[in-house]
């Protein structure tokens, strides 16, 4: 009869609603998990960035100190011939520091890029969640 047909249709719609609700809850859990991972990654990258900034500052200070030392030693070369080897060693260390500084700058750039990528991924996850919520809301209203 018509009443039984309506009851069957109602049960089918209720089951679809329950299924969509389960899917929405699963998506919410997944998005929360994804957000925690991306937040954790962003924090890790920020910590790395701070460490790299500290290393760059230390290297800059060491570079400045060594450059000053080299300048002082240049004026004493004639009087202190034995120090020539030390000056050459300081120059080599300065070259190593400059190479280290360049590597750290490259690492710094890589970390910044990773931060940007993580932020973009987070934004994309949020947009996907919004679309899924909208789709679920649309499905629920239908």
């Amino acid at each position: 009869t018509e009443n039984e047909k309506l009851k069957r249709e109602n049960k089918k719609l209720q089951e679809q609603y329950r299924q969509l609700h389960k899917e929405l809850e699963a998506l919410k859990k997944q998005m929360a998990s994804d957000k925690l991972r991306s937040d954790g990654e962003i924090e890790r990258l920020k910590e790395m960035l701070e460490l790299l900034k500290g290393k760059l500052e230390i290297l800059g200070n060491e570079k400045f100190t060594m450059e000053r030392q080299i300048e002082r030693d240049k004026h004493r070369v004639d009087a202190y011939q034995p120090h020539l080897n030390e000056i050459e060693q300081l120059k080599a260390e300065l070259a190593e520091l400059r190479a280290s500084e360049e590597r750290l700058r490259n690492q710094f750039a890589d970390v910044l890029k990773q931060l940007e990528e993580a932020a973009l991924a987070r934004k994309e996850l949020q947009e996907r969640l919004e679309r899924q919520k909208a789709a679920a809301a649309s499905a629920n209203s239908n």
Side-chain angles (χ1 to χ4, degrees):
T1 66
E2 186 67 28
N3 194 18
E4 290 172 351
K5 190 176 182 182
L6 288 173
K7 283 182 183 180
R8 282 192 305 270
E9 187 65 29
N10 188 21
K11 278 188 175 186
K12 187 189 283 185
L13 288 173
Q14 286 178 346
E15 183 56 35
Q16 287 176 346
Y17 173 79
R18 279 192 289 276
Q19 185 61 33
L20 286 172
H21 186 69
K22 285 179 187 177
E23 290 176 19
L24 178 62
E25 290 302 314
L27 284 172
K28 284 181 181 177
K29 287 179 184 176
Q30 180 62 42
M31 291 303 298
S33 174
D34 290 349
K35 183 181 183 307
L36 285 175
R37 271 197 301 276
S38 68
D39 286 350
E41 184 67 12
I42 288 170
E43 285 304 312
R44 186 183 69 79
L45 291 172
K46 283 181 180 177
E47 289 170 4
M48 283 179 60
L49 181 63
E50 289 303 316
L51 286 172
L52 289 173
K53 283 181 180 177
K55 288 179 181 180
L56 277 174
E57 184 177 339
I58 289 168
L59 283 173
N61 291 339
E62 288 177 0
K63 175 184 168 187
F64 178 74
T65 300
M66 287 191 163
E67 286 173 342
R68 283 191 352 220
Q69 181 67 39
I70 288 169
E71 288 302 316
R72 281 195 304 266
D73 287 348
K74 281 180 182 177
H75 297 293
R76 297 179 189 158
V77 168
D78 292 335
Y80 298 99
Q81 190 65 30
H83 291 295
L84 284 176
N85 290 338
E86 182 181 347
I87 291 172
E88 291 305 315
Q89 182 182 1
L90 287 172
K91 285 181 181 177
E93 289 176 11
L94 179 60
E96 289 175 15
L97 283 172
R98 286 181 175 151
S100 293
E101 180 183 28
E102 183 62 29
R103 284 192 302 275
L104 285 174
R105 286 187 193 282
N106 291 338
Q107 286 178 347
F108 182 77
D110 289 344
V111 167
L112 283 178
K113 184 177 178 184
Q114 289 174 1
L115 275 173
E116 289 172 358
E117 290 171 356
L120 180 61
R122 182 178 181 184
K123 181 181 177 185
E124 289 172 359
L125 285 173
Q126 288 172 337
E127 289 172 354
R128 189 177 86 204
L129 177 61
E130 291 301 320
R131 288 192 303 273
Q132 289 169 346
K133 282 181 181 179
S138 174
N140 286 340
S141 67
N142 290 342

